[in-house]
């Protein structure tokens, strides 16, 4: 399915921002986290998402990721080029990476990482971790030698019917 690449107007952005802030506030009332997001294309909302981390026991169920997943299902594609991600708060590094993988055209948000930190969310710490190459990571990350480490990539490269990312 092709995605309409119509650029949103300021009026759309204001409406969408009001919607994601409402979604985030409602999420708090229903046991979710204080985050809301939507994906829009051609001036229309394609899908929405709220933070479901604690309710779904899923640390990846941030509002932006949930909205991206819902939009991909709705549109029948894993590429959201031509779409905009609207978030009630600046996306964390995981959500930014998800938006990049989804090939979204743009991202707009209201609150920032400093606002999130005041409310007790550690997005700022993750941004700092990624921005400082000498950071000491709280999780051990190391490479282990494996002779066949490229076997999956080798199989991918010769697969005639692969779907390119």
């Amino acid at each position: 399915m092709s995605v309409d690449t119509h650029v949103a107007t300021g009026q759309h952005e204001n409406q969408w921002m009001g919607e994601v802030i409402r979604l985030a506030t409602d999420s708090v009332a229903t046991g979710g986290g204080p985050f809301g997001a939507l994906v829009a294309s051609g001036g229309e909302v394609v899908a929405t998402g709220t933070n479901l981390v604690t309710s779904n026991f899923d640390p990846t169920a941030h509002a932006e990721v949930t909205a991206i997943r819902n939009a991909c299902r709705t549109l029948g594609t894993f590429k959201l080029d031509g779409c905009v991600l609207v978030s009630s708060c600046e996306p964390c590094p995981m959500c930014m990476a998800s938006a990049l993988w989804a090939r979204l055209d743009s991202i707009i948000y209201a609150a920032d990482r400093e606002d999130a930190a005041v409310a007790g969310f550690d997005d700022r710490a993750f941004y700092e971790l990624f921005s400082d190459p000498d950071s000491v990571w709280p999780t051990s990350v190391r490479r282990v030698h494996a002779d066949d480490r490229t076997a999956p990539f080798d199989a991918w490269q010769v697969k005639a019917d692969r779907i390119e990312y």
Side-chain angles (χ1 to χ4, degrees), residues 43-117:
E44 299 295 324
V45 174
V46 173
T48 63
T50 58
N51 183 287
L52 303 172
V53 170
T54 57
S55 58
N56 285 8
F57 306 112
D58 179 355
T60 68
H62 289 200
E64 297 89 343
V65 172
T66 303
I68 289 168
R69 288 174 180 159
N70 291 340
C72 288
R73 274 192 296 276
T74 297
L75 296 173
T77 183
F78 59 90
K79 291 183 180 179
L80 298 176
D81 48 322
C83 294
V84 58
L85 175 65
V86 182
S87 181
S88 63
C89 187
E90 179 180 10
C92 74
M94 177 185 71
C95 294
M96 288 295 292
S98 297
L100 291 171
W101 276 110
R103 310 299 198 252
L104 285 149
D105 281 6
S106 63
I107 301 166
I108 60 173
Y109 63 89
D112 65 14
R113 64 185 85 166
E114 302 301 325
D115 299 319

Side-chain angles (χ1 to χ4, degrees), residues 33-35 51 113 115-125:
F35 303 94
N51 183 287
R113 64 185 85 166
D115 299 319
V118 169
F121 292 90
D122 54 5
D123 302 46
R124 184 176 55 192

Side-chain angles (χ1 to χ4, degrees), residues 126-147:
F126 294 131
Y127 272 102
E128 290 168 1
L129 182 67
F130 283 106
S131 68
D132 180 1
D134 296 322
S135 292
V136 176
W137 286 57
T139 302
S140 173
V141 178
R142 64 186 179 90
R143 183 177 179 186
V144 174
H145 176 76
D147 288 335

